[in-house]
Amino acid sequence: MIGLKTGTVKLVMHQDNWYNEAKRTIKELKDLLGNTAIDIQHIGSTAIASIHAKPIIDIVIGVYRLADIMSYVDVLGENGFIFRGEDVPNQVLFVKGNFEKDFRTHHIHVVKWNGTEWNNYINFRDYLNVFPEKAKIYDELKQELAIQFPKDRKQYTEGKQQLIDKFLQEARLWKVKRQQCDSRFAN
């Protein structure tokens, strides 16, 4: 089961079916967007195997320019992906779910491919999947905040930000070192 009432916080143990749902959604989005989507990835806590997550599938779509997605707002809407606009700077959000019940199942984040936002999403996911001890720290904080703020997603999200920023910095350094190492072995 995926989905959560808007604004609420409820964490559940990782579910293997999240990967299948993300894969299905990515294929659907690729079919709808064609070459406009340079890359589409499963991100967020449902893409990190060892932690609890809100049962909402997060997907990031990388495009050359954010304006590129605007001509797809209607076709995405016809397929259940509802345009929410620029929810944070340099990102456009679409949501999917049962809107009559105020229930969200998917968050689709559209960002500039290979830009800061894209790299943050990918690096954070990859870093926590490679370093389970870091994922555990993040998971413990999330669980504490979910107990504190079950009906206030804004406070829950703000409570995670300092640790997310710290891990993003670590993830950037890890990625640079990994790329340097990969390039040395390629030569």
Side-chain angles (χ1 to χ4, degrees):
M1 171 91 178
I2 62 169
L4 200 57
K5 186 170 175 57
T6 302
T8 64
V9 179
K10 178 184 177 191
L11 302 179
V12 298
M13 283 296 300
H14 183 82
Q15 308 288 312
D16 288 337
N17 67 318
W18 291 340
Y19 292 121
N20 295 331
E21 178 58 24
K23 188 176 177 180
R24 187 199 64 72
T25 304
I26 288 168
K27 181 185 180 327
E28 181 181 7
L29 289 165
K30 281 182 180 176
D31 290 346
L32 293 170
L33 298 173
N35 292 334
T36 297
I38 301 164
D39 195 0
I40 305 176
Q41 298 273 329
H42 180 199
I43 58 163
S45 292
T46 61
I48 302 167
S50 62
I51 67 174
H52 292 78
K54 295 185 310 293
I56 296 173
I57 305 298
D58 282 291
I59 303 287
V60 64
I61 300 172
V63 295
Y64 285 116
R65 297 173 310 128
L66 282 184
D68 295 345
I69 200 71
M70 300 316 289
S71 62
Y72 291 92
V73 168
D74 290 340
V75 73
L76 287 167
E78 291 164 7
N79 286 276
F81 299 98
I82 307 305
F83 179 69
R84 287 299 198 216
E86 195 170 329
D87 63 325
V88 294
N90 303 313
Q91 175 174 285
V92 173
L93 179 68
F94 291 82
V95 296
K96 190 171 188 173
N98 183 333
F99 299 101
E100 290 177 6
K101 295 184 178 181
D102 200 23
F103 197 76
R104 304 293 187 262
T105 58
H106 298 71
H107 291 159
I108 312 299
H109 312 269
V110 182
V111 300
K112 186 174 183 271
W113 180 76
N114 214 20
T116 301
E117 294 77 16
W118 173 269
N119 290 323
N120 283 348
Y121 280 130
I122 303 305
N123 291 347
F124 189 77
R125 176 201 64 197
D126 292 351
Y127 184 68
L128 292 188
N129 275 316
V130 169
F131 297 99
E133 68 281 5
K134 300 291 184 173
K136 184 176 190 256
I137 293 167
Y138 183 56
D139 188 43
E140 289 170 353
L141 175 61
K142 286 171 44 121
Q143 290 184 61
E144 289 173 22
L145 292 168
I147 291 167
Q148 256 185 299
F149 304 110
K151 295 185 187 308
D152 190 342
R153 193 172 304 166
K154 185 176 183 213
Q155 288 290 327
Y156 166 81
T157 301
E158 287 174 3
K160 299 184 303 180
Q161 197 57 54
Q162 186 175 0
L163 184 60
I164 289 171
D165 291 344
K166 178 182 185 294
F167 284 168
L168 280 172
Q169 184 176 6
E170 291 175 11
R172 279 190 289 276
L173 292 172
W174 165 73
K175 177 120 184 219
V176 167
K177 286 178 185 176
R178 193 176 77 179
Q179 288 171 335
Q180 290 171 344
C181 187
D182 289 348
S183 68
R184 272 186 268 155
F185 286 115
N187 294 329

